[in-house]
Amino acid sequence: MGLRPAQIIHLFSLQPYAPPQLRLAVVSELLLLGLSTDATLNVLQKSPELLGMSSKHIKDRADLLRRLAFKEVGLNHMAVHFPRIFTLPQKRIEVIENLLKEKCLFSVQQISKILQTCPNILLEELGDVEYKFQFAYFRMGIKHREIVNSGLFQASLAEIKNRVIFLERLGLFQTPDKKGQTQVVNPKLKSIIRASESDFIEKMACSSLEEYNIFKKLLAREEERRRKEEEAAEKNDLSDSESDGEGSDSD
């Protein structure tokens, strides 16, 4: 396998109770993905639990990623930077794939790029993933290609909403109308997301940190109040329906 003596010692120091044959089979599968020996050991250092898995599991997971349009370079990148992809349940990956494909209408190639550039999406709440897309697509009027290239799913939902709504209330952002027109020139989604907080506040919003922090607190209160009102409305609707049901039974 081309391992140096020091690398062999390092390998056998990870998960010391893993059977030697299983250990070597896992290393072999990672090397077959095109990883160097150093990269393979780094992957196992990050996720030593891989040494307790069968080589078939590693191979099946790589095949699943290939079905999602991953090329060898993408597989290598994912293995090195997000080795948890091999330990997550296959069902979890398929659920995210279906969400992005069926509800968000991304193509297979776009899903592949999203997973490669933002693998942490696999660990997020499904509701947050869908809401991020809906916020960008419907509220901001951003199309699929720009969403993918912007790195939308790398940012937290809270930060996206804070920045966009802050710009909106300053008159620096406007939701496009049905024809995609706005009365202001909206900044690009990529610029909004990737700017550091100081650059966003000073250069994009032309504001101050104090004003932005106050806005975030006020927005959080607004959303909490709205959430409570919605919960109260749902309870009232449920109570009304139960009352109607009891009336029908007595009749």
Side-chain angles (χ1 to χ4, degrees):
M1 294 182 179
L3 293 168
R4 300 187 300 274
Q7 291 176 321
I8 295 171
I9 294 172
H10 185 196
L11 172 62
F12 278 85
S13 70
L14 303 171
Q15 296 287 72
Y17 297 107
Q21 291 304 318
L22 179 59
R23 182 190 307 270
L24 295 175
V26 169
V27 171
S28 179
E29 285 298 328
L30 292 175
L31 292 173
L32 287 173
L33 291 179
L35 298 181
S36 66
T37 53
D38 284 333
T40 296
L41 289 176
N42 285 337
V43 167
L44 295 174
Q45 180 74 42
K46 290 179 182 178
S47 295
E49 62 270 24
L50 283 175
L51 290 170
M53 297 182 168
S54 68
S55 58
K56 182 180 183 302
H57 174 90
I58 306 292
K59 185 177 183 301
D60 288 346
R61 184 53 47 83
D63 288 342
L64 172 61
L65 295 177
R66 290 189 182 97
R67 180 173 64 77
L68 291 173
F70 274 67
K71 305 298 183 185
E72 294 309 310
V73 173
L75 278 173
N76 293 353
H77 178 85
M78 185 66 82
V80 170
H81 296 284
F82 193 75
R84 286 190 65 180
I85 190 68
F86 292 103
T87 61
L88 288 173
Q90 180 169 327
K91 183 67 175 178
R92 177 65 185 179
I93 301 172
E94 291 174 342
V95 166
I96 289 290
E97 176 196 2
N98 289 334
L99 172 65
L100 295 174
K101 183 187 297 182
E102 304 297 333
K103 292 191 174 182
C104 304
L105 303 180
F106 287 108
S107 68
V108 174
Q109 287 73 21
Q110 288 171 333
I111 293 171
S112 176
K113 186 168 182 179
I114 290 170
L115 292 177
Q116 289 179 59
T117 56
C118 184
N120 281 322
I121 193 175
L122 293 166
L123 307 177
E124 289 192 42
E125 293 291 334
L126 297 179
D128 286 352
V129 174
E130 185 175 1
Y131 190 89
K132 277 185 192 179
F133 167 76
Q134 291 178 343
F135 189 86
Y137 190 80
F138 295 108
R139 179 70 175 273
M140 301 183 68
I142 310 297
K143 302 305 180 185
H144 288 77
R145 179 179 295 180
E146 186 178 348
I147 288 175
V148 174
N149 293 332
S150 70
L152 172 74
F153 296 103
Q154 295 175 359
S156 72
L157 177 58
E159 190 62 24
I160 294 168
K161 291 178 65 178
N162 285 339
R163 293 190 176 195
V164 172
I165 297 174
F166 188 55
L167 292 174
E168 187 176 55
R169 295 187 181 179
L170 289 171
L172 300 173
F173 180 88
Q174 187 178 73
T175 299
D177 60 22
K178 293 181 180 179
K179 296 181 179 180
Q181 302 296 314
T182 60
Q183 295 179 347
V184 300
V185 179
N186 286 339
K188 295 291 185 182
L189 176 59
K190 184 176 181 178
S191 300
I192 296 174
I193 291 173
R194 299 195 180 185
S196 65
E197 185 172 72
S198 59
D199 283 347
F200 168 75
I201 294 169
E202 296 171 12
K203 299 178 181 179
M204 196 171 295
C206 300
S207 185
S208 67
L209 178 60
E210 181 182 8
E211 185 177 2
Y212 186 49
N213 285 335
I214 292 172
F215 161 78
K216 287 191 289 186
K217 290 178 182 178
L218 292 174
L219 183 62
R221 289 177 189 172
E222 286 180 25
E223 295 191 338
E224 179 64 18
R225 189 186 315 118
R226 188 183 305 115
R227 184 184 65 79
K228 289 181 178 179
E229 289 173 353
E230 290 173 354
E231 288 178 352
E234 288 178 2
K235 288 180 180 178
N236 289 336
D237 290 342
L238 180 60
S239 177
D240 291 342
S241 64
E242 288 176 348
S243 297
D244 292 342
E246 290 173 1
S248 299
D249 291 341
S250 63
D251 292 343

